[in-house]
Amino acid sequence: SQFGCIGVKCRLSLPIFYSNLENVYIGNNFNALDYFRIETINHYGEQAFTPKIIIGNNVDIQQYCHIACIDKIIIEDGVLIASRVFISDHSHGDTTPKSLMEAPKQRNLTSKGPIIIKKNVWIGEGAAVLSGVTIGENSIVATNAVVTRDVPANSVVAGVPARIIKQLKLS
């Protein structure tokens, strides 16, 4: 009842860690295993945000995943997210000298834009998806990859930062 909206046949295994669930909209047949952390941030210091997380149908999230939002995160239908994945549309400050002179906790939160994870994406164990990124349909993000730029549809990406290692052919 705390969610903005949650569909039918959804399961969240305990424990779950959350904040501001009123900004989270979840479709049908959603499954998140234990130690899932989902948070939208409405205020940070003197900053105000209007965050929104939208999760489609038939999305599965494994243990110890963390999704954090000040802007917008969209996870479309059929996405599989492995354990220990981090998805965040923001960071503490930027790399300007003024920002770097402040302690990270004192810096303003900044975002390079929404994260959009298209249909049927598989995100491997320990990966990170950072702000301003769209991951195209049917793509695979390899274990421990750090996604800092858009991923075309039907691609496999790996590495830090993630780079295309294979284009998938759909017949």
Side-chain angles (χ1 to χ4, degrees), residues 30-46:
F30 172 76
N31 183 46
L33 295 183
D34 47 327
Y35 296 97
F36 179 44
R37 180 174 165 195
I38 187 165
E39 58 188 335
T40 63
I41 300 167
N42 295 327
H43 295 92
Y44 187 81
E46 295 180 11

Side-chain angles (χ1 to χ4, degrees), residues 3-94:
F3 287 93
C5 180
I6 188 164
V8 297
K9 295 185 181 176
C10 294
R11 189 183 93 183
L12 293 117
S13 299
L14 298 176
I16 176 175
F17 304 96
Y18 59 88
S19 65
N20 304 311
L21 289 178
E22 69 274 8
N23 303 315
V24 178
Y25 302 82
I26 297 177
N28 299 322
N29 301 311
F30 172 76
N31 183 46
L33 295 183
D34 47 327
Y35 296 97
F36 179 44
R37 180 174 165 195
I38 187 165
E39 58 188 335
T40 63
I41 300 167
N42 295 327
H43 295 92
Y44 187 81
E46 295 180 11
Q47 293 179 283
F49 304 103
T50 54
K52 185 180 276 189
I53 297 174
I54 302 168
I55 300 174
N57 299 318
N58 305 306
V59 172
D60 284 285
I61 299 176
Q62 303 304 306
Q63 293 95 343
Y64 295 99
C65 288
H66 179 191
I67 300 174
C69 178
I70 64 170
D71 185 5
K72 185 182 279 186
I73 296 174
I74 300 171
I75 301 172
E76 293 185 358
D77 299 345
V79 172
L80 174 61
I81 299 174
S83 299
R84 298 182 308 102
V85 169
F86 175 63
I87 300 170
S88 177
D89 70 355
H90 63 280
S91 59
H92 286 269
D94 52 38

